[in-house]
């Protein structure tokens, strides 16, 4: 595929840091073709006003974050807004949906706004409402008061059920627009922040809109309905929301864990009931989260909703199922993605021919095998550190030093300091019996 020099550089920079790139993932995708049709069908369903819940299952290193960001790129190409929220015990516990909502709004993106998209979305929506009013009613565009009044009426009509379940949503939008007209930018910014779930908004801002307190657990769900309406009206067919690393709730205190599981069940039920037209909700977790006693299985109704038969050969997994399984990397896939990265590196290399000569397919395969061997033979754990070594230790040196030959001058070393807990655990295994297997 054709890719710009800037995009290729961004991908290489992320791999050098040992992180999943934010964009350009089609250039690295390996083995995801079987999901393409189902994902595209589901995005189309959401764009038509439906809603989808999807659970992604995979061990550490199987590519869960990669898959969800790859899906985000597909969604962005269709005009979707997207948000990725990492669930954590302290920062974003799943049992506090008001906090999840706040993180969602903080990380809201659109195809043309890579961060902090909420304000642009709201302003685009008001513009659309005004255009609709002017095209449908005989109002003088110069009559500001009449235009604002007619737009407010249309706004409440479009918001529908949201006005009844969360009247503060419409109140705040109306006050936000009024503050802009009056030139009170600080008030307007504060109101938008309150709508996005931010705490500690001043009493002066709240009095201006006649609102009180902060958005709570139940208010967050109603506000999400309103956000989906605004997105649809402002030209975005839907919202892709990813709740990443949901398995972290297994480490939470028992009562908090149970509330989190119940919140997840509630979200699934609300999606199924049609409350959130235009929402594609994706969660990611490990097999232990879905199958183990500290996860989904603790709540029977949730376990029943997520149940999928994985006893059949993985080749025949159903990509349309509510829960899908990531196979993870084998050596062949690891070598293939390594070659893709090498080819991507050549886009900005000082001497692309030298890169291909000194880091040929055979060398990439040898490095993949060496990294995997250093990590207890567990290929599924290897992708992050393998690509980090390939870029930072090998390709960068070949690019900068004419006489550097990786076969002659480079010997693989992996220190504990550059590994995360999972990688460190498999590296420290003294024999095959020390390596935890997935049985």
């Amino acid at each position: 595929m054709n890719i710009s020099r800037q995009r290729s550089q961004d991908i290489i920079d992320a791999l050098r840091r040992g992180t999943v790139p934010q964009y350009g993932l089609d250039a690295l995708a390996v083995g995801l073709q079987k999901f393409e049709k189902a994902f595209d069908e589901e995005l189309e369903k959401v764009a038509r006003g439906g809603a989808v819940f999807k659970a992604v299952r995979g061990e550490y290193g199987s590519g869960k974050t990669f898959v969800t960001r790859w899906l985000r790129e597909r969604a962005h190409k269709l005009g979707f807004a997207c948000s990725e929220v990492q669930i954590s015990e302290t920062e974003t516990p799943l049992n506090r949906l008001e906090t999840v909502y706040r993180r969602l709004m903080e990380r809201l993106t659109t195809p043309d706004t890579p961060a902090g998209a909420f304000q642009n979305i709201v302003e685009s929506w008001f513009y659309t409402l005004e255009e609709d009013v002017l095209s449908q009613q005989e109002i003088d565009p110069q009559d500001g008061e009449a235009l604002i009044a007619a737009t407010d009426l249309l706004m409440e009509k479009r918001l529908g059920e949201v006005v009844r379940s969360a009247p503060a949503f419409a109140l705040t939008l109306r006050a936000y627009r009024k503050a802009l007209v009056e030139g009170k930018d600080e008030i307007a910014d504060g109101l938008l922040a309150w709508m996005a779930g931010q705490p500690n908004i001043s009493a002066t801002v709240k009095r201006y809109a006649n609102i009180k307190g902060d958005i709570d657990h139940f208010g967050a769900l109603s506000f999400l309905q309103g956000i989906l309406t605004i997105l649809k009206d402002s030209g975005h067919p839907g919202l892709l929301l990813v709740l990443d690393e949901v398995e972290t709730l297994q480490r939470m205190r028992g009562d908090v864990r149970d509330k989190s599981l119940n919140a997840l069940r509630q979200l699934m039920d609300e999606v199924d009931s049609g409350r959130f037209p235009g929402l594609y909700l994706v969660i990611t977790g490990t097999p232990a989260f879905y199958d183990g006693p500290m996860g989904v299985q603790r709540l029977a109704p949730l376990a029943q909703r997520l149940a999928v038969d994985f006893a059949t050969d993985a080749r025949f997994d159903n990509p349309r199922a509510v829960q899908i399984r990531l196979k993870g990397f084998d050596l062949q896939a690891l070598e293939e993605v390594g070659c893709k990265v090498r080819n991507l590196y050549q886009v900005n290399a000082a001497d692309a021919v030298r890169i291909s000569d000194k880091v040929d397919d055979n060398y990439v395969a040898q490095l993949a095998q060496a990294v995997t061997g250093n990590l207890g033979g567990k290929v599924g754990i290897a992708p992050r550190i393998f690509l980090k070594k390939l870029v930072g230790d090998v390709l960068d040196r070949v690019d900068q030093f004419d006489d550097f030959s990786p076969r002659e001058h480079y010997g693989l070393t992996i220190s504990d300091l550059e590994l995360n807990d999972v990688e460190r655990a498999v590296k420290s295994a003294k024999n095959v019996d020390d390596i935890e297997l997935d049985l």
Side-chain angles (χ1 to χ4, degrees), residues 139-204:
I139 292 180
D140 183 355
Q142 304 304 316
D143 188 345
E145 288 188 9
L147 181 58
I148 288 174
T151 305
D152 284 347
L153 287 175
L154 181 58
M155 175 185 72
E156 296 203 10
K157 181 180 178 182
R158 294 277 175 87
L159 290 174
E161 178 59 33
V162 178
V163 175
R164 290 183 286 276
S165 62
F169 191 85
L171 271 176
T172 311
L173 281 169
R174 195 182 300 120
Y176 169 75
R177 191 154 174 259
K178 179 170 176 281
L180 288 179
V181 171
E182 294 176 350
K184 298 179 178 179
D185 292 344
E186 285 191 15
I187 294 287
D189 291 344
L191 291 171
L192 215 57
W194 187 85
M195 281 194 69
Q198 294 298 323
N200 306 318
I201 303 301
S202 74
T204 302

Side-chain angles (χ1 to χ4, degrees), residues 362-407:
N362 285 335
Y363 179 78
V364 171
Q366 290 170 16
L367 183 63
Q369 292 164 20
V371 171
T372 301
N374 268 261
L375 295 175
K378 297 201 77 174
V379 182
I381 305 297
R384 187 190 76 87
I385 199 68
F386 163 64
L387 295 176
K388 188 172 185 289
K389 291 291 183 181
L390 176 62
V391 172
D393 288 358
V394 177
L395 291 170
D396 279 346
R397 285 169 170 157
V398 172
D399 187 42
Q400 295 176 84
F401 303 106
D402 293 351
D403 57 346
F404 177 79
S405 171
R407 286 184 171 88

